[in-house]
Amino acid sequence: MSLSVQNLTVGYRDRTVISGLSLAPIAAGQVVSLVGPNGAGKSTLLRAIAGLTPARGDMRLGDLNLGAMSISERARHVAYMPQTLPQDVALTVLETVIAALEASPVAESHTHSADQAMQALVKVGAAELASRRLDRLSGGQRQIAGLAQAMVRRPKVLLLDEPTSALDLRHQLDVLTLARTYARENDAVVIMVLHDLQSAARASDHIVVLSDGAVKIEGAPQQAITPEVLADVWQVQARVENCGRGLIQVMVDAVL
C-alpha cells in the first residue's frame, strides 16, 4: 500500500509550521528521508503522519484514511520512533518493547508478546540489552531500544525521527541498513528524519528537502542533493560528487 500525503497543514497553538504540504506518493518498500535545516518542519511532518500532532489535510495508506482514525486505530498501521526516549523509565528494555507491542489493538497474549519482543531486539542487534533498565542506558542504546519498540508490531508505515543522532559510525550504518531491510521485507514505507546528507543519499530511494515548512524539492538522491539545493536551502557552498562506488559525497567549502 502506498502512502499519500496531500494538502497537509500543521501548527502549534497560534503558529503554523506546515501549510498546504503535499508529497509524491510513497510506494510500499521505499525508504524516504526528510532533510533540511533546523526548524524546517521535518519532525513536525513526521509527528503529523503518526497522528501525534493535530493536522488538517488528507493522509491515506492505500484505501485507508489515516486522518479519520483514532490514535489506537492508527497504531495498527503506523509506528513512530521519537528522537529520544524518556530517561526516567525504570523498566527493562524487554518490558518496554512488550509494552509497545501490547499498546497495539492487535496485541496477543503476554507470552507470545514476550517472544515477539525478544525477536525484535535480536533483529536490531540489542538482545544483550533485554534485561537492562532503560534509565541506565546510554543515549545510543536507548535509540536502539526505541527502534525495537517501533518495529515490533511490523507496521506498514515506520517513522524514524533522527534514528542515528546518538550512534557511532558502525551503529549508524546498522540502523540505516535495518531501515532498508525492514521496508523491503515487510513491503512497508519507512520515513526517516536525517541531518547527514550522505547517509540520507545512501539509505534512501527518495529524498524530500524541506525549508520553512514547505517542500523545496523531492526526488531521487541525485536530484535532491545538488550544490544548487545546498546553496539555496542551507546557504553553504558545497561540492556534490560520486565516490568510486557511485555513492554521493557532500563536501562543504564555505558559508554563503
Side-chain angles (χ1 to χ4, degrees):
M1 294 186 287
S2 65
L3 177 68
S4 172
V5 176
Q6 297 294 317
N7 199 29
L8 192 69
T9 296
V10 193
Y12 301 96
R13 297 180 181 175
D14 59 347
R15 184 171 70 94
T16 299
V17 179
I18 293 170
S19 180
L21 180 146
S22 297
L23 299 176
I26 304 171
Q30 279 201 324
V31 176
V32 174
S33 285
L34 307 179
V35 301
N38 294 335
K42 304 181 296 296
S43 295
T44 298
L45 175 55
L46 217 62
R47 288 178 58 83
I49 296 171
L52 300 174
T53 298
R56 301 191 309 275
D58 189 59
M59 291 179 284
R60 295 181 182 271
L61 180 62
D63 295 329
L64 302 173
N65 184 352
L66 296 177
M69 294 180 180
S70 66
I71 289 293
S72 61
E73 289 175 321
R74 198 181 299 204
R76 297 179 58 187
H77 310 286
V78 181
Y80 169 76
M81 173 186 161
Q83 293 180 20
T84 57
L85 294 179
Q87 299 185 27
D88 56 352
V89 176
L91 297 174
T92 67
V93 170
L94 181 61
E95 288 170 338
T96 65
V97 180
I98 291 172
L101 178 60
E102 293 188 337
S104 166
V106 297
E108 300 175 21
S109 71
H110 181 81
T111 301
H112 189 62
S113 294
D115 292 340
Q116 287 181 272
M118 195 65 214
Q119 290 171 13
L121 287 171
V122 170
K123 190 80 172 176
V124 301
E128 74 280 0
L129 299 179
S131 61
R132 295 185 58 182
R133 280 176 39 171
L134 193 69
D135 60 355
R136 295 179 180 174
L137 300 182
S138 69
Q141 289 171 326
R142 281 197 300 275
Q143 276 192 307
I144 296 295
L147 183 61
Q149 291 176 28
M151 290 174 56
V152 67
R153 293 198 314 272
R154 297 182 183 175
K156 284 301 182 183
V157 180
L158 180 62
L159 307 173
L160 307 176
D161 197 351
E162 298 191 35
T164 61
S165 61
L167 302 179
D168 59 35
L169 288 174
R170 177 198 163 178
H171 288 97
Q172 287 179 30
L173 183 57
D174 285 344
V175 166
L176 296 176
T177 301
L178 277 168
R180 288 185 66 85
T181 301
Y182 182 89
R184 304 310 195 249
E185 290 183 350
N186 294 277
D187 205 24
V189 169
V190 175
I191 305 178
M192 303 185 289
V193 170
L194 293 175
H195 279 288
D196 185 330
L197 298 183
Q198 290 183 177
S199 294
R202 178 173 187 154
S204 308
D205 302 293
H206 191 84
I207 289 180
V208 178
V209 179
L210 295 177
S211 179
D212 295 325
V215 176
K216 198 70 175 178
I217 187 172
E218 62 175 317
Q222 293 82 1
Q223 297 172 306
I225 300 176
T226 66
E228 293 76 18
V229 171
L230 268 75
D232 185 23
V233 176
W234 282 270
Q235 286 80 55
V236 295
Q237 179 181 329
R239 289 166 288 145
V240 179
E241 301 174 358
N242 290 334
C243 72
R245 297 180 59 190
L247 301 174
I248 285 179
Q249 294 182 308
V250 178
M251 291 148 286
V252 177
D253 296 318
V255 174
L256 296 176

